[in-house]
mmCIF file of all heavy atoms in Angstrom:
data_model
loop_
_atom_site.group_PDB
_atom_site.id
_atom_site.type_symbol
_atom_site.label_atom_id
_atom_site.label_comp_id
_atom_site.label_asym_id
_atom_site.label_seq_id
_atom_site.Cartn_x
_atom_site.Cartn_y
_atom_site.Cartn_z
ATOM 1 N N GLU A 168 -0.434 -9.539 -11.655
ATOM 2 C CA GLU A 168 0.598 -9.818 -12.646
ATOM 3 C C GLU A 168 1.919 -9.124 -12.336
ATOM 4 O O GLU A 168 2.895 -9.299 -13.062
ATOM 5 C CB GLU A 168 0.107 -9.401 -14.034
ATOM 6 C CG GLU A 168 -1.065 -10.247 -14.534
ATOM 7 C CD GLU A 168 -1.562 -9.813 -15.890
ATOM 8 O OE1 GLU A 168 -1.226 -8.682 -16.309
ATOM 9 O OE2 GLU A 168 -2.294 -10.587 -16.531
ATOM 10 N N THR A 169 1.961 -8.334 -11.258
ATOM 11 C CA THR A 169 3.212 -7.644 -10.911
ATOM 12 C C THR A 169 4.195 -8.549 -10.198
ATOM 13 O O THR A 169 5.403 -8.298 -10.197
ATOM 14 C CB THR A 169 2.939 -6.417 -10.023
ATOM 15 O OG1 THR A 169 2.344 -6.841 -8.775
ATOM 16 C CG2 THR A 169 2.020 -5.421 -10.736
ATOM 17 N N ALA A 170 3.692 -9.621 -9.554
ATOM 18 C CA ALA A 170 4.574 -10.543 -8.823
ATOM 19 C C ALA A 170 3.778 -11.783 -8.456
ATOM 20 O O ALA A 170 2.547 -11.728 -8.341
ATOM 21 C CB ALA A 170 5.141 -9.884 -7.564
ATOM 22 N N SER A 171 4.481 -12.887 -8.268
ATOM 23 C CA SER A 171 3.808 -14.102 -7.814
ATOM 24 C C SER A 171 3.461 -13.966 -6.338
ATOM 25 O O SER A 171 4.141 -13.266 -5.588
ATOM 26 C CB SER A 171 4.712 -15.320 -8.020
ATOM 27 O OG SER A 171 5.902 -15.190 -7.261
ATOM 28 N N GLY A 172 2.384 -14.599 -5.911
ATOM 29 C CA GLY A 172 2.016 -14.568 -4.497
ATOM 30 C C GLY A 172 1.184 -13.379 -4.072
ATOM 31 O O GLY A 172 0.862 -13.243 -2.893
ATOM 32 N N VAL A 173 0.823 -12.502 -5.021
ATOM 33 C CA VAL A 173 -0.009 -11.348 -4.662
ATOM 34 C C VAL A 173 -1.372 -11.825 -4.163
ATOM 35 O O VAL A 173 -1.917 -11.310 -3.190
ATOM 36 C CB VAL A 173 -0.162 -10.385 -5.855
ATOM 37 C CG1 VAL A 173 -1.208 -9.312 -5.560
ATOM 38 C CG2 VAL A 173 1.180 -9.728 -6.175
ATOM 39 N N SER A 174 -1.922 -12.826 -4.857
ATOM 40 C CA SER A 174 -3.156 -13.432 -4.393
ATOM 41 C C SER A 174 -2.855 -14.799 -3.796
ATOM 42 O O SER A 174 -1.777 -15.361 -4.010
ATOM 43 C CB SER A 174 -4.171 -13.570 -5.528
ATOM 44 O OG SER A 174 -5.443 -13.937 -5.026
ATOM 45 N N THR A 175 -3.786 -15.307 -3.030
ATOM 46 C CA THR A 175 -3.655 -16.636 -2.426
ATOM 47 C C THR A 175 -4.984 -17.367 -2.573
ATOM 48 O O THR A 175 -6.000 -16.771 -2.933
ATOM 49 C CB THR A 175 -3.312 -16.532 -0.929
ATOM 50 O OG1 THR A 175 -4.436 -15.955 -0.234
ATOM 51 C CG2 THR A 175 -2.072 -15.682 -0.688
ATOM 52 N N LYS A 176 -4.956 -18.659 -2.277
ATOM 53 C CA LYS A 176 -6.187 -19.441 -2.347
ATOM 54 C C LYS A 176 -7.241 -18.858 -1.415
ATOM 55 O O LYS A 176 -8.425 -18.766 -1.779
ATOM 56 C CB LYS A 176 -5.905 -20.894 -1.968
ATOM 57 C CG LYS A 176 -7.135 -21.790 -2.037
ATOM 58 C CD LYS A 176 -6.789 -23.226 -1.661
ATOM 59 C CE LYS A 176 -8.033 -24.112 -1.696
ATOM 60 N NZ LYS A 176 -7.722 -25.509 -1.313
ATOM 61 N N ARG A 177 -6.838 -18.423 -0.213
ATOM 62 C CA ARG A 177 -7.791 -17.872 0.750
ATOM 63 C C ARG A 177 -8.378 -16.554 0.254
ATOM 64 O O ARG A 177 -9.585 -16.299 0.386
ATOM 65 C CB ARG A 177 -7.109 -17.669 2.102
ATOM 66 C CG ARG A 177 -8.011 -17.120 3.192
ATOM 67 C CD ARG A 177 -9.214 -18.012 3.410
ATOM 68 N NE ARG A 177 -10.028 -17.572 4.543
ATOM 69 C CZ ARG A 177 -11.302 -17.868 4.677
ATOM 70 N NH1 ARG A 177 -11.925 -18.602 3.759
ATOM 71 N NH2 ARG A 177 -11.978 -17.444 5.726
ATOM 72 N N ILE A 178 -7.547 -15.696 -0.314
ATOM 73 C CA ILE A 178 -8.036 -14.431 -0.865
ATOM 74 C C ILE A 178 -9.031 -14.692 -1.989
ATOM 75 O O ILE A 178 -10.087 -14.053 -2.059
ATOM 76 C CB ILE A 178 -6.859 -13.567 -1.358
ATOM 77 C CG1 ILE A 178 -6.018 -13.085 -0.161
ATOM 78 C CG2 ILE A 178 -7.351 -12.377 -2.175
ATOM 79 C CD1 ILE A 178 -4.727 -12.408 -0.554
ATOM 80 N N ASP A 179 -8.716 -15.642 -2.857
ATOM 81 C CA ASP A 179 -9.628 -15.981 -3.957
ATOM 82 C C ASP A 179 -10.956 -16.517 -3.426
ATOM 83 O O ASP A 179 -12.025 -16.214 -3.974
ATOM 84 C CB ASP A 179 -8.973 -17.005 -4.881
ATOM 85 C CG ASP A 179 -7.792 -16.429 -5.655
ATOM 86 O OD1 ASP A 179 -7.713 -15.191 -5.765
ATOM 87 O OD2 ASP A 179 -6.963 -17.218 -6.144
ATOM 88 N N GLU A 180 -10.903 -17.334 -2.357
ATOM 89 C CA GLU A 180 -12.122 -17.893 -1.779
ATOM 90 C C GLU A 180 -13.026 -16.793 -1.230
ATOM 91 O O GLU A 180 -14.235 -16.779 -1.491
ATOM 92 C CB GLU A 180 -11.774 -18.874 -0.655
ATOM 93 C CG GLU A 180 -11.162 -20.185 -1.136
ATOM 94 C CD GLU A 180 -10.670 -21.050 0.010
ATOM 95 O OE1 GLU A 180 -10.610 -20.545 1.160
ATOM 96 O OE2 GLU A 180 -10.326 -22.214 -0.232
ATOM 97 N N LEU A 181 -12.447 -15.877 -0.452
ATOM 98 C CA LEU A 181 -13.238 -14.792 0.137
ATOM 99 C C LEU A 181 -13.795 -13.873 -0.949
ATOM 100 O O LEU A 181 -14.936 -13.407 -0.855
ATOM 101 C CB LEU A 181 -12.392 -14.002 1.132
ATOM 102 C CG LEU A 181 -12.023 -14.739 2.430
ATOM 103 C CD1 LEU A 181 -10.969 -13.962 3.210
ATOM 104 C CD2 LEU A 181 -13.265 -14.958 3.289
ATOM 105 N N SER A 182 -12.995 -13.618 -1.969
ATOM 106 C CA SER A 182 -13.465 -12.774 -3.073
ATOM 107 C C SER A 182 -14.649 -13.422 -3.778
ATOM 108 O O SER A 182 -15.643 -12.752 -4.094
ATOM 109 C CB SER A 182 -12.333 -12.529 -4.072
ATOM 110 O OG SER A 182 -11.246 -11.857 -3.458
ATOM 111 N N ALA A 183 -14.558 -14.722 -4.009
ATOM 112 C CA ALA A 183 -15.650 -15.434 -4.683
ATOM 113 C C ALA A 183 -16.935 -15.371 -3.859
ATOM 114 O O ALA A 183 -18.030 -15.187 -4.404
ATOM 115 C CB ALA A 183 -15.242 -16.886 -4.931
ATOM 116 N N ILE A 184 -16.811 -15.509 -2.534
ATOM 117 C CA ILE A 184 -17.987 -15.440 -1.660
ATOM 118 C C ILE A 184 -18.640 -14.063 -1.752
ATOM 119 O O ILE A 184 -19.868 -13.940 -1.850
ATOM 120 C CB ILE A 184 -17.579 -15.761 -0.205
ATOM 121 C CG1 ILE A 184 -17.223 -17.249 -0.081
ATOM 122 C CG2 ILE A 184 -18.691 -15.391 0.772
ATOM 123 C CD1 ILE A 184 -16.519 -17.601 1.207
ATOM 124 N N ALA A 185 -17.815 -13.026 -1.725
ATOM 125 C CA ALA A 185 -18.361 -11.666 -1.807
ATOM 126 C C ALA A 185 -19.080 -11.440 -3.134
ATOM 127 O O ALA A 185 -20.175 -10.862 -3.176
ATOM 128 C CB ALA A 185 -17.241 -10.651 -1.629
ATOM 129 N N PHE A 186 -18.492 -11.893 -4.240
ATOM 130 C CA PHE A 186 -19.126 -11.714 -5.544
ATOM 131 C C PHE A 186 -20.412 -12.530 -5.646
ATOM 132 O O PHE A 186 -21.382 -12.092 -6.268
ATOM 133 C CB PHE A 186 -18.153 -12.092 -6.660
ATOM 134 C CG PHE A 186 -17.181 -10.987 -6.996
ATOM 135 C CD1 PHE A 186 -15.854 -11.049 -6.589
ATOM 136 C CD2 PHE A 186 -17.603 -9.877 -7.704
ATOM 137 C CE1 PHE A 186 -14.971 -10.033 -6.892
ATOM 138 C CE2 PHE A 186 -16.723 -8.839 -8.019
ATOM 139 C CZ PHE A 186 -15.395 -8.925 -7.599
ATOM 140 N N GLU A 187 -20.430 -13.704 -5.038
ATOM 141 C CA GLU A 187 -21.652 -14.510 -5.040
ATOM 142 C C GLU A 187 -22.804 -13.798 -4.342
ATOM 143 O O GLU A 187 -23.978 -14.016 -4.667
ATOM 144 C CB GLU A 187 -21.387 -15.848 -4.348
ATOM 145 C CG GLU A 187 -20.546 -16.816 -5.167
ATOM 146 C CD GLU A 187 -20.127 -18.031 -4.359
ATOM 147 O OE1 GLU A 187 -20.574 -18.142 -3.190
ATOM 148 O OE2 GLU A 187 -19.354 -18.853 -4.874
ATOM 149 N N HIS A 188 -22.476 -12.918 -3.400
ATOM 150 C CA HIS A 188 -23.501 -12.188 -2.643
ATOM 151 C C HIS A 188 -23.692 -10.756 -3.145
ATOM 152 O O HIS A 188 -24.329 -9.951 -2.464
ATOM 153 C CB HIS A 188 -23.158 -12.198 -1.157
ATOM 154 C CG HIS A 188 -23.359 -13.544 -0.510
ATOM 155 N ND1 HIS A 188 -22.449 -14.570 -0.633
ATOM 156 C CD2 HIS A 188 -24.396 -14.033 0.239
ATOM 157 C CE1 HIS A 188 -22.889 -15.625 0.030
ATOM 158 N NE2 HIS A 188 -24.068 -15.332 0.557
ATOM 159 N N GLY A 189 -23.118 -10.451 -4.315
ATOM 160 C CA GLY A 189 -23.439 -9.173 -4.945
ATOM 161 C C GLY A 189 -22.347 -8.134 -5.027
ATOM 162 O O GLY A 189 -22.603 -7.019 -5.490
ATOM 163 N N ALA A 190 -21.123 -8.443 -4.578
ATOM 164 C CA ALA A 190 -20.035 -7.468 -4.676
ATOM 165 C C ALA A 190 -19.787 -7.091 -6.132
ATOM 166 O O ALA A 190 -19.978 -7.912 -7.053
ATOM 167 C CB ALA A 190 -18.765 -8.021 -4.047
ATOM 168 N N LEU A 191 -19.335 -5.859 -6.352
ATOM 169 C CA LEU A 191 -19.116 -5.354 -7.707
ATOM 170 C C LEU A 191 -17.647 -5.332 -8.098
ATOM 171 O O LEU A 191 -17.316 -5.414 -9.279
ATOM 172 C CB LEU A 191 -19.685 -3.941 -7.832
ATOM 173 C CG LEU A 191 -21.165 -3.771 -7.496
ATOM 174 C CD1 LEU A 191 -21.546 -2.292 -7.523
ATOM 175 C CD2 LEU A 191 -22.024 -4.572 -8.466
ATOM 176 N N GLY A 192 -16.777 -5.173 -7.121
ATOM 177 C CA GLY A 192 -15.354 -5.080 -7.417
ATOM 178 C C GLY A 192 -14.535 -5.368 -6.183
ATOM 179 O O GLY A 192 -15.021 -5.241 -5.059
ATOM 180 N N CYS A 193 -13.255 -5.758 -6.393
ATOM 181 C CA CYS A 193 -12.387 -6.019 -5.240
ATOM 182 C C CYS A 193 -10.933 -5.841 -5.626
ATOM 183 O O CYS A 193 -10.566 -5.863 -6.802
ATOM 184 C CB CYS A 193 -12.619 -7.421 -4.685
ATOM 185 S SG CYS A 193 -11.768 -8.747 -5.575
ATOM 186 N N LYS A 194 -10.115 -5.659 -4.606
ATOM 187 C CA LYS A 194 -8.669 -5.578 -4.773
ATOM 188 C C LYS A 194 -8.034 -5.739 -3.402
ATOM 189 O O LYS A 194 -8.591 -5.288 -2.396
ATOM 190 C CB LYS A 194 -8.273 -4.234 -5.386
ATOM 191 C CG LYS A 194 -6.787 -4.111 -5.746
ATOM 192 C CD LYS A 194 -6.507 -2.736 -6.318
ATOM 193 C CE LYS A 194 -5.036 -2.577 -6.664
ATOM 194 N NZ LYS A 194 -4.738 -1.181 -7.087
ATOM 195 N N ILE A 195 -6.865 -6.372 -3.357
ATOM 196 C CA ILE A 195 -6.153 -6.527 -2.091
ATOM 197 C C ILE A 195 -5.505 -5.199 -1.720
ATOM 198 O O ILE A 195 -5.114 -4.415 -2.591
ATOM 199 C CB ILE A 195 -5.083 -7.649 -2.198
ATOM 200 C CG1 ILE A 195 -4.671 -8.161 -0.811
ATOM 201 C CG2 ILE A 195 -3.865 -7.160 -2.966
ATOM 202 C CD1 ILE A 195 -5.715 -8.988 -0.136
ATOM 203 N N SER A 196 -5.392 -4.922 -0.438
ATOM 204 C CA SER A 196 -4.702 -3.721 0.029
ATOM 205 C C SER A 196 -3.226 -4.039 0.232
ATOM 206 O O SER A 196 -2.863 -5.158 0.593
ATOM 207 C CB SER A 196 -5.309 -3.230 1.348
ATOM 208 O OG SER A 196 -6.636 -2.799 1.163
#
Side-chain angles (χ1 to χ4, degrees):
E168 294 179 344
T169 63
S171 61
V173 171
S174 190
T175 67
K176 181 180 179 181
R177 181 57 174 157
I178 292 171
D179 292 340
E180 289 173 349
L181 291 169
S182 299
I184 290 167
F186 278 105
E187 287 171 5
H188 288 79
L191 303 174
C193 81
K194 186 181 179 186
I195 200 72
S196 294

